[in-house]
Amino acid sequence: MRKRILMLDDNQDVLDIVKEALSYERFEVTITSETENIIENIQAHMPDLLMLDYKMSGTRGDEICREVKAHPQLSNIPVIICSAYLNKDDLLACGCDAIITKPFGLEELVDTVNGLIFSDQRLEAGD
């Protein structure tokens, strides 16, 4: 069974590129730009990994990450936050498992996704 990834970003070009790259790596990728009802959307898809843009119109990625990590059914889903506007310490405080700085290379993206999904390597606050 293919591993499922749900990506939330308000930039359609980023969504399309990430979906193409991760689909090529044999992941089942669902993309969305809708922050409204995102917890219900995550529950409906039950992804193996969640990717969130940090700065979006509507709810920010760190806020969504906090909700996911506080939710009893979703808290074990690894979360990657992607952003050009980030403070690593602030993002780690929200409970994310990895941070990818935009713009990012596809190799970095695939390596980070594989690391979290297959070997459960998570960022530590001291990294």
Side-chain angles (χ1 to χ4, degrees):
M1 179 192 261
R2 296 190 325 166
K3 298 290 186 176
R4 295 178 313 276
I5 297 171
L6 177 61
M7 180 168 188
L8 173 64
D9 197 304
D10 58 358
N11 183 322
Q12 189 63 46
D13 291 335
V14 171
L15 289 171
D16 292 341
I17 290 167
V18 169
K19 181 173 184 172
E20 180 74 23
L22 294 177
S23 294
Y24 180 79
E25 295 293 325
R26 302 198 187 322
F27 291 105
E28 180 181 316
V29 183
T30 302
I31 56 174
T32 184
S33 58
E34 294 296 321
T35 59
E36 193 172 314
N37 302 317
I38 189 61
I39 296 299
E40 292 82 3
N41 194 356
I42 296 167
Q43 287 176 301
H45 287 90
M46 285 310 289
D48 296 292
L49 181 114
L50 181 60
M51 295 182 65
L52 304 171
D53 182 28
Y54 172 70
K55 193 169 187 170
M56 297 177 283
S57 54
T59 309
R60 289 190 338 217
D62 61 331
E63 296 168 6
I64 295 168
C65 183
R66 282 186 182 87
E67 284 185 59
V68 167
K69 294 302 184 175
H71 195 286
Q73 295 171 323
L74 306 177
S75 63
N76 289 330
I77 298 173
V79 177
I80 298 173
I81 293 189
C82 307
S83 184
Y85 314 97
L86 56 82
N87 176 324
K88 188 174 178 179
D89 293 333
D90 288 345
L91 292 180
L92 289 174
C94 77
C96 69
D97 299 285
I99 300 165
I100 297 178
T101 304
K102 288 182 178 178
F104 51 83
L106 296 181
E107 185 175 336
E108 176 188 8
L109 171 69
V110 170
D111 288 348
T112 303
V113 167
N114 281 329
L116 287 171
I117 288 182
F118 295 113
S119 54
D120 201 30
Q121 298 170 354
R122 309 247 173 130
L123 255 180
E124 297 296 328
D127 285 353

